[in-house]
Amino acid sequence: MSHGRAADQKRPNAWGLYDMRGNVWEWVQDWRAKYPADRQVDPQGPSSGDFRLNRGGAFYALESVGACWSRNQGPPKFRIDFIGFRCARSF
């Protein structure tokens, strides 16, 4: 029995992809650090740290938490059913 909804009920993003946020928090490459004081595009974080970031919110989270700027953190070996990763391909 499915409790979900079809993935294409909303409009796709600029790349034709649907539902890119809100399923699970997604691990990202960045280590936790404070944001720079000045505005930057894709700032480079520290090269090491204690906590990795995850973004995007999970199915249980409020919509505001699913914003792309929202972030959460955890130690790199932390595992739970609402944190995952997205496979990406570079051309």
Side-chain angles (χ1 to χ4, degrees):
M1 174 157 83
S2 174
H3 295 286
R5 62 173 175 74
D8 62 355
Q9 290 182 348
K10 295 183 179 180
R11 288 184 284 177
N13 66 15
W15 298 275
L17 303 172
Y18 294 87
D19 296 337
M20 296 299 291
R21 65 178 188 164
N23 184 20
V24 296
W25 285 96
E26 296 175 4
W27 287 111
V28 296
Q29 181 176 344
D30 298 334
W31 291 97
R32 175 74 180 187
K34 290 184 178 183
Y35 279 127
D38 56 327
R39 185 175 179 170
Q40 298 184 7
V41 175
D42 196 16
Q44 297 297 310
S47 59
S48 64
D50 294 324
F51 296 101
R52 289 277 191 185
L53 295 179
N54 43 70
R55 295 181 178 270
F59 58 89
Y60 68 87
L62 298 172
E63 187 174 342
S64 60
V65 176
C68 61
W69 50 262
S70 179
R71 61 187 187 167
N72 203 351
Q73 66 185 18
K77 293 185 178 186
F78 182 69
R79 304 289 183 262
I80 197 161
D81 61 354
F82 51 81
I83 299 177
F85 65 93
R86 182 177 307 276
C87 295
R89 180 175 160 183
S90 178
F91 295 94

